[in-house]
Amino acid sequence: MTTEPKALVRRDPEEIWTAGNLDAIDELFADDFVLHDPSTDGESRGRDDYREYVETYRAAFPDVEYEVESIVAEGGVVALRYTAGGTHEGEFMGIAPTGERVSVSGMEQYRVEDGRIVEMWTSYDALGLFQQLGVVPPLEELGDGASPEA
């Protein structure tokens, strides 16, 4: 297993998310891993929670593919910017499958200790995703936000 932080982190989007190799979670992530994701109810803790998190997204978007746009590291902190795309073929956050092909951008920051990922902060364009799924209208349809004159 590689312990170089950038190479280690790159395996998450490429092997786990794109290739669907969930067994790599046990190799890459610490037992007490913590995921911070503002789109979830709380922090996910441990490998099993992360596996369930990935399975949920992959069930909704089974053909998901991540493209790492940039990756930088300083010490044990690695920042990654990506674009992910997939077809909405399963339920996602209560949204029935639409068959829509979507693409979202996002950023993640990982903390690596002793050759394992111990913590991750993630943020992606959830608004853009919901617009592509037809749940939220495009901004053009929302207007300029001005109140009508009386």
Side-chain angles (χ1 to χ4, degrees):
M1 177 176 84
T2 181
T3 57
E4 197 276 315
K6 281 171 50 173
L8 176 84
V9 163
R10 182 181 281 275
R11 291 180 63 194
D12 181 34
E14 292 177 352
E15 281 184 44
I16 294 170
W17 287 91
T18 298
N21 179 11
L22 275 59
D23 291 338
I25 291 171
D26 293 332
E27 181 182 340
L28 301 177
F29 291 82
D31 291 334
D32 58 351
F33 167 75
V34 178
L35 171 66
H36 308 275
D37 180 348
S39 71
T40 61
D41 291 338
E43 294 178 348
S44 296
R45 297 193 173 271
R47 293 177 186 156
D48 290 340
D49 278 1
Y50 190 61
R51 184 175 282 102
E52 185 177 318
Y53 176 82
V54 174
E55 287 172 340
T56 298
Y57 277 84
R58 287 189 52 79
F61 305 94
D63 62 346
V64 67
E65 292 184 9
Y66 274 66
E67 181 178 339
V68 175
E69 303 287 344
S70 65
I71 186 168
V72 295
E74 184 172 323
V77 177
V78 180
L80 180 141
R81 185 174 55 85
Y82 66 86
T83 300
T87 308
H88 183 211
E89 296 180 9
E91 184 177 312
F92 176 69
M93 295 185 177
I95 304 165
T98 62
E100 291 293 325
R101 178 86 183 151
V102 297
S103 178
V104 298
S105 59
M107 291 188 272
E108 296 174 344
Q109 182 173 303
Y110 297 78
R111 188 167 59 84
V112 176
E113 285 182 3
D114 300 323
R116 302 262 176 151
I117 299 168
V118 295
E119 201 164 12
M120 181 173 83
W121 294 262
T122 184
S123 182
Y124 66 91
D125 180 13
L127 175 61
L129 174 60
F130 292 135
Q131 288 174 330
Q132 292 174 66
L133 295 176
V135 177
V136 175
L139 292 177
E140 308 82 56
E141 292 179 21
L142 294 175
D144 64 7
S147 299
E149 293 185 23

